[in-house]
Amino acid sequence: MMISTRGRYALRVMVDLAETGSDDYVAMRTIAQRQGISLKYLERILPVLAKNRLVEGVQGRGGGYRLCRRPEEYTVGEILRLAEGDLAPVSCLECGAVPCGNTEECRTRPLWKGLQAVIDNYLDSVTLLDLMRNEAEPCPAQAEQAQQP
C-alpha cells in the first residue's frame, strides 16, 4: 500500500484548516499558498472533501472552506479512505474485489487481513488534533524497536 499525493495533500489541507481554528472560511488560494500545493490540484481535492461533509465550502467573496467538525472528531483513516478510495495492502482485499480462485486455500490471505487490521486500527486511532499537536503515536512495532538496544 502506498499513500498517493492526493491522500497526503488531503491530510495537509485538513490539518491546515484545523490549525486555522476559526469559524471563518479559508480561501482555496490561501491554503494552496500555505501548503505549497497547486491550486489546480486543490480544485480536485477540496470539492471531494466538501461533498463528503468533511469540510464545508462557500463560493464568492469571503468564501472558502472550513471544517464541519472539531479536529478531534476526524481520524486520519477516515480522511485517507475518502481520498484514496481503499487502503487495502493487496488487491484481493479491496472493496468490491472479485474473489480470486485461491481465496479458500490461500496461505497468505490471513497475513494480509491482519496487516489491513493493523493499518486500519492505527490510522483510525490518530486524529487531526493529534497531527496538529504532533502527537501521532508510533505503531507498536516501531515503539518496540525504539526501546531495544
Side-chain angles (χ1 to χ4, degrees):
M1 175 193 77
M2 176 91 83
I3 303 298
S4 71
T5 302
R6 181 183 181 101
R8 293 191 321 271
Y9 285 2
L11 270 178
R12 286 174 47 190
V13 165
M14 293 295 288
V15 172
D16 186 283
L17 290 173
E19 289 177 338
T20 300
S22 71
D23 289 331
D24 296 332
Y25 291 92
V26 180
M28 191 182 306
R29 184 176 311 280
T30 302
I31 298 167
Q33 289 171 343
R34 288 195 300 220
Q35 293 301 315
I37 300 171
S38 80
L39 194 54
K40 277 195 168 291
Y41 210 101
L42 278 188
E43 288 171 348
R44 294 188 310 194
I45 293 173
L46 278 164
V48 172
L49 297 175
K51 179 181 175 191
N52 289 279
R53 299 181 183 237
L54 269 65
V55 300
E56 60 182 355
V58 173
Q59 294 183 344
R61 186 180 177 130
Y65 292 87
R66 68 180 182 188
L67 296 182
C68 294
R69 300 177 272 171
R70 297 186 322 248
E72 61 270 21
E73 296 174 349
Y74 293 91
T75 68
V76 169
E78 170 187 23
I79 297 162
L80 287 178
R81 280 185 207 91
L82 179 62
E84 297 291 327
D86 204 321
L87 299 176
V90 291
S91 61
C92 65
L93 295 179
E94 290 177 350
C95 288
V98 177
C100 77
N102 288 338
T103 300
E104 296 302 316
E105 305 86 34
C106 184
R107 300 267 188 216
T108 61
R109 187 172 171 86
L111 168 79
W112 303 128
K113 287 180 88 169
L115 178 59
Q116 178 153 18
V118 169
I119 291 168
D120 288 341
N121 289 335
Y122 178 67
L123 294 177
D124 289 336
S125 75
V126 179
T127 68
L128 279 184
L129 185 61
D130 295 328
L131 295 179
M132 290 169 58
R133 293 177 174 168
N134 202 19
E135 294 179 353
E137 292 291 324
C139 71
Q142 283 179 315
E144 277 183 31
Q145 285 178 343
Q147 292 176 358
Q148 292 178 356

